[in-house]
Amino acid sequence: MEEKYSFKVIQNGQTQSSRVIRSGAAVNGQAVVIKAEQAARYQLINSVTLNSPAKLALKKKGNDLHVALPGGDVDMPDIIIEDFYAISGNQLQGLGQSGEWMAYDTASLVKKPDNAMAKLSDPVGPDASAAVALASPPVALLTTFDSPWGLLGLAAGAAVIGASSGGDGEGNGEAANTTFDVFKNYAKADTTGKVTVPTKANYVAAGVTFPSLGNDVKEADVLDSLNRVVNRQEKTAVITPSQLQKLADDLKSSYTVILAKANGAAAEDTSARLPTAADYANVGVMLGSTGKTIELMNSVLVELNTNQVDSPTKLSNIATACDNLMKLAAGTSGVSVSPADLLALGIKINNQNAGITSSQAKTFSDNLANLLSSLNKTDNLKTGEAVDTQAEVQALFSLQVMRSFNDDVATLDKKTQPAPGLSDYTHIGVKAYKSLTDTSDASRVTLDTLTFANGVNWQTALNSSLDLQASGTNLTQAKVQQMVDAYYTVLRKANSTTTDNGRYVYDLNQPTASDYAAIGVTQSDAGKSAMKAGATLDLLNDAIGRLAATAVDTVTEVQALEKAAENIMAVGAGNGDGKATLGISYSSDNSNAEWLNGFQALGVQGVTTHNLSAMRKAIDTADASNDGKALNTVLALQAIVSMYRINDYADNESLNPTPSLWDYQAVVVNKGHQLTDVVAFDGNYLQAYTDAVNSKPNGSAHDTFTDTQLTDMVLSFNTILNEADGDKTTDLTPIDPVKADYVNVGLGNGSNVKADIDKMVTDDHLVKLFTDVIGGKSKDQVNTLKELNDLAAILSRIQQLVDKTPTPSKAQNDDAKYDAITNGRLTVKDFQDLGLDVSNFLSVSGSVQTHRINSVMDNFIALNDTAVIEQLRTLQSYINSTAGINA
């Protein structure tokens, strides 16, 4: 039956590596090959029974030790420890039934074995093999231990084993009866065995001034550090006070140097020397010799805070991490960097020294060389030059963070791999433009210095784009930089409309099709070159230019805009029925929800389920040339939609929604004009437009108005309302309404005297009089056609009087002429409605009042044309001249 064994390498009291080996590993081509380390212990234990084999088949081959697991063949070893016999202090150990570590007598292979477990036929010489027993008791005892359970009978074995563990045959330290025995026993001792650990009291008793590092390092950690130093000494080097005191003094001096460099975020004191390998050894930390371990160790040290290096354990973890990284860089077989190693090096994700996953660490280890080249770095990796600073390692890992995040196939809100922060982008050398008008590399700035309007989260935006970039080893610094530049351009173009006319401000810094591709926005319909054709790209840019940056700070939002723009163009290229002949990319050609969401995303208002089909037909009709040029702005689309809504209301105001100000604005601005700010704040304007639309006789098939007619109506009504400033004495407006303005607003529509009004408007003199009348009105007195028609009807009656010939001897009594005009003779109210002072009429009554009014009408009849009455003051003079009529 296959069995599993745990094989650990212990050095300096720390586990350097741990592996699981299955019996028959060599046969399966899975033999473990490692290189021996100085004073290392190699521990083998059954993973299930938690005991070690009572005996092992071992073979010395040159300086290498070959090990066969139970049931295996030593000529096909499961474990090979290279240079085992070339390095002193090595032990192959196992765990006995009594729970203590024992040594396999590997030394017996360098001479003829004396124990009965060895075969007499085994060769004697440089290479030899034998069945070697666990521990070193008399051979006669070992012959009975054919199974591990036999070890339980060793009553006296513990003492022997303890001596073996101590390495000097002087006992386990518990029986020490001299001041320095505790140190001598601890020197070169297996600290996992039963050996007494020196205490502070032991050092004091030995005459040592115990080193103190104040609040920087706790006393327990100082003791741990000093004991580690003692443990590495020869026994003869710890038997005098001066020897121990020097170790203590060196520890304090070297740890002070180390602490001085661990200043975290503070600027490095370059005048202070860097720790040497001897300094680290003086505090109980041994550095590896591969590559540039000391350079990396010191670089990491400078980036850390004091509390991250205030114990030998923490320093040892950093040293181990540096050693592992250098070996990995050098291409040492079987070496990898763990999450713990990276954390020990001070490596961060999103500026936090936490959250590193095993997946990130493994991929980092597997692709170190590729990460280096992907950052466009050319430093030598095998010599350690490429990773001999913490910043270099951080840059490599930050790129790996981006790759791991990208490779996590879950949606953004469900990813298990940590999200990169702006600091990670900075670590790999990515910066942003200073502005869209200064795109030189020299003026680039770090990403964390950028701010965007409306609270855009720059990190979220970039990571939404990063998730769509090339995966795995194809993600490079250059691609990330291109992505950042592109998204910066998109966000900076957002919200760049003007305030007066709603037109998007075009300049030379428009996002290109390549920019959108760089952030991960793809063409929805792969069979149509929509983005390259121009119209779709123009519409997309126009929409983004009008939207707040928060509306485009994820690629999902931008992609939705692209898809909407592409579908608009596909419909425009149709056959006039509102259905696309090709290029449609929504899930269904009649999917209302997708269409409505698309219009809304682009910023087009007023499309509903009720009018969607008609809107699409209108869009199809508008793009008569099928090139998209009539549809390439949000304004153009809004004008199409708004024209439909306005004509819809003209057809039936009781069933269809009332057009909004933005409907009229879209049409007018799209025709090349603008609406002044006052229009937006004064409701009289919208009231006037609505009444004009409602009053116009209906057309057919939503063609009551053309966009030109509607634009003329709006602009003309603006001119009329602007004239109505309430001041009849002074004309405050630079432009007076003219005949065309009254025609454009539909003057006469809805009136029962439309023909008379139409005739009146053909008279330029009366038009001027009409304008003078309006100048004395307030806007709310002329913001409907009825109000204008009522005033125009009075002027048309005056016109009829002018057209008549006076009857001789009928002054103030030409009743036939007075009554012949439409709706009869003029009244006090008529003159009052025109804005005239009628006190001369109101001061009298009866026939006197009638004669005075008739006198004014006689003046009109006496005129040959209307040129004399272009202004109200002439009419007022007629009224004033009646003061002498008293009968």
Side-chain angles (χ1 to χ4, degrees), residues 14-51:
Q14 302 293 317
T15 299
Q16 303 300 316
S17 64
S18 178
R19 308 184 187 197
V20 174
I21 307 174
R22 300 177 183 272
S23 56
V27 176
N28 296 324
Q30 298 175 344
V32 172
V33 180
I34 63 173
K35 194 165 185 68
E37 301 284 350
Q38 186 73 34
R41 302 191 307 281
Y42 307 92
Q43 296 179 345
L44 184 69
I45 185 172
N46 188 297
S47 299
V48 177
T49 66
L50 300 182
N51 295 129

Side-chain angles (χ1 to χ4, degrees), residues 367-542:
N367 295 285
L368 188 60
N370 176 268
L371 287 166
L372 185 68
S373 62
S374 296
L375 289 177
N376 201 28
K377 302 290 186 181
T378 58
D379 291 345
N380 194 307
L381 185 61
K382 288 190 175 297
T383 64
E385 178 187 9
V387 288
D388 63 352
T389 69
Q390 202 254 14
E392 290 173 321
V393 180
Q394 179 66 69
L396 293 166
F397 187 72
S398 286
L399 180 57
Q400 182 55 58
V401 170
M402 294 179 183
R403 288 179 173 181
S404 296
F405 180 80
N406 179 307
D407 292 342
D408 188 338
V409 296
T411 57
L412 286 172
D413 60 334
K414 291 183 172 59
K415 286 183 181 292
T416 58
Q417 295 300 306
L422 295 182
S423 58
D424 291 299
Y425 288 91
T426 300
H427 288 320
I428 70 169
V430 169
K431 292 184 177 182
Y433 295 140
K434 188 175 183 179
S435 71
L436 286 180
T437 58
D438 187 356
T439 56
S440 63
D441 286 338
S443 66
R444 286 184 179 273
V445 295
T446 56
L447 303 186
D448 57 1
T449 64
L450 296 176
T451 56
F452 295 91
N454 303 310
V456 167
N457 189 314
W458 189 208
Q459 176 184 350
T460 301
L462 291 181
N463 284 343
S464 76
S465 180
L466 180 66
D467 190 42
L468 299 170
Q469 299 302 309
S471 61
T473 55
N474 292 317
L475 184 66
T476 65
Q477 189 269 357
K479 289 185 180 295
V480 176
Q481 182 66 71
Q482 184 182 24
M483 176 197 84
V484 170
D485 289 346
Y487 219 142
Y488 179 86
T489 302
V490 171
L491 287 174
R492 283 299 188 213
K493 295 312 297 181
N495 198 30
S496 56
T497 56
T498 61
T499 58
D500 59 347
N501 63 10
R503 286 188 179 276
Y504 177 63
V505 181
Y506 282 94
D507 55 32
L508 297 178
N509 300 309
Q510 298 303 308
T512 65
S514 296
D515 288 327
Y516 288 110
I519 69 172
V521 173
T522 58
Q523 186 177 302
S524 299
D525 176 22
K528 188 164 182 264
S529 299
M531 287 289 283
K532 297 178 182 177
T536 302
L537 178 61
D538 290 343
L539 178 55
L540 180 57
N541 281 341
D542 188 81

Side-chain angles (χ1 to χ4, degrees), residues 14-332:
Q14 302 293 317
T15 299
Q16 303 300 316
S17 64
S18 178
R19 308 184 187 197
V20 174
I21 307 174
R22 300 177 183 272
S23 56
V27 176
N28 296 324
Q30 298 175 344
V32 172
V33 180
I34 63 173
K35 194 165 185 68
E37 301 284 350
Q38 186 73 34
R41 302 191 307 281
Y42 307 92
Q43 296 179 345
L44 184 69
I45 185 172
N46 188 297
S47 299
V48 177
T49 66
L50 300 182
N51 295 129
S52 301
K55 53 190 176 181
L56 285 173
L58 305 179
K59 182 175 183 178
K60 173 185 176 296
K61 187 170 183 179
N63 285 325
D64 299 342
L65 177 63
H66 291 194
V67 181
L69 296 175
D73 184 352
V74 76
D75 290 325
M76 293 184 67
D78 301 299
I79 301 171
I80 298 174
I81 306 175
E82 297 177 342
D83 294 330
F84 181 88
Y85 290 99
I87 298 175
S88 63
N90 286 312
Q91 282 189 342
L92 179 63
Q93 295 182 333
L95 192 64
Q97 290 290 333
S98 59
E100 296 171 327
W101 289 105
M102 304 178 180
Y104 290 97
D105 188 10
T106 55
S108 63
L109 296 180
V110 300
K111 59 184 180 178
K112 182 177 177 64
D114 294 328
N115 61 67
M117 299 301 294
K119 300 178 182 178
L120 295 178
S121 59
D122 284 343
V124 177
D127 296 339
S129 59
V132 177
L134 186 62
S136 308
V139 174
L141 291 175
L142 288 173
T143 57
T144 65
F145 300 154
D146 292 333
S147 74
W149 298 104
L151 292 172
L152 290 173
L154 278 178
V160 177
I161 294 163
S164 174
S165 299
D168 62 352
E170 296 187 65
N172 60 12
E174 294 179 358
N177 53 19
T178 65
T179 303
F180 294 97
D181 280 351
V182 66
F183 304 114
K184 186 172 64 173
N185 290 340
Y186 200 69
K188 295 294 185 181
D190 179 358
T191 56
T192 63
K194 288 188 175 181
V195 57
T196 299
V197 180
T199 64
K200 177 182 177 181
N202 293 136
Y203 286 101
V204 172
V208 175
T209 300
F210 193 78
S212 172
L213 292 163
N215 295 325
D216 289 332
V217 183
K218 295 177 182 178
E219 187 176 84
D221 290 318
V222 174
L223 177 62
D224 183 18
S225 184
L226 188 54
N227 283 340
R228 290 173 185 242
V229 174
V230 169
N231 182 248
R232 290 196 176 96
Q233 307 302 312
E234 296 295 334
K235 296 185 180 297
T236 57
V238 292
I239 56 176
T240 68
S242 60
Q243 290 174 324
L244 291 172
Q245 188 62 60
K246 186 177 186 310
L247 296 178
D249 292 343
D250 288 347
L251 182 150
K252 182 174 182 178
S253 175
S254 292
Y255 221 142
T256 300
V257 172
I258 292 170
L259 293 170
K261 280 296 181 181
N263 58 356
E268 181 186 1
D269 181 4
T270 55
S271 65
R273 73 173 179 86
L274 286 168
T276 63
D279 286 317
Y280 290 110
N282 287 343
V283 299
V285 176
M286 300 301 295
L287 301 183
S289 59
T290 305
K292 296 191 174 185
T293 304
I294 182 65
E295 288 85 353
L296 177 58
M297 183 77 180
N298 283 339
S299 176
V300 171
L301 182 67
V302 170
E303 299 298 325
L304 300 180
N305 295 311
T306 301
N307 61 6
Q308 293 175 287
V309 296
D310 60 358
S311 76
T313 298
K314 294 176 182 178
L315 284 171
S316 292
N317 289 341
I318 300 171
T320 298
C322 291
D323 187 44
N324 287 341
L325 184 58
M326 286 297 164
K327 288 179 178 177
L328 178 67
T332 304

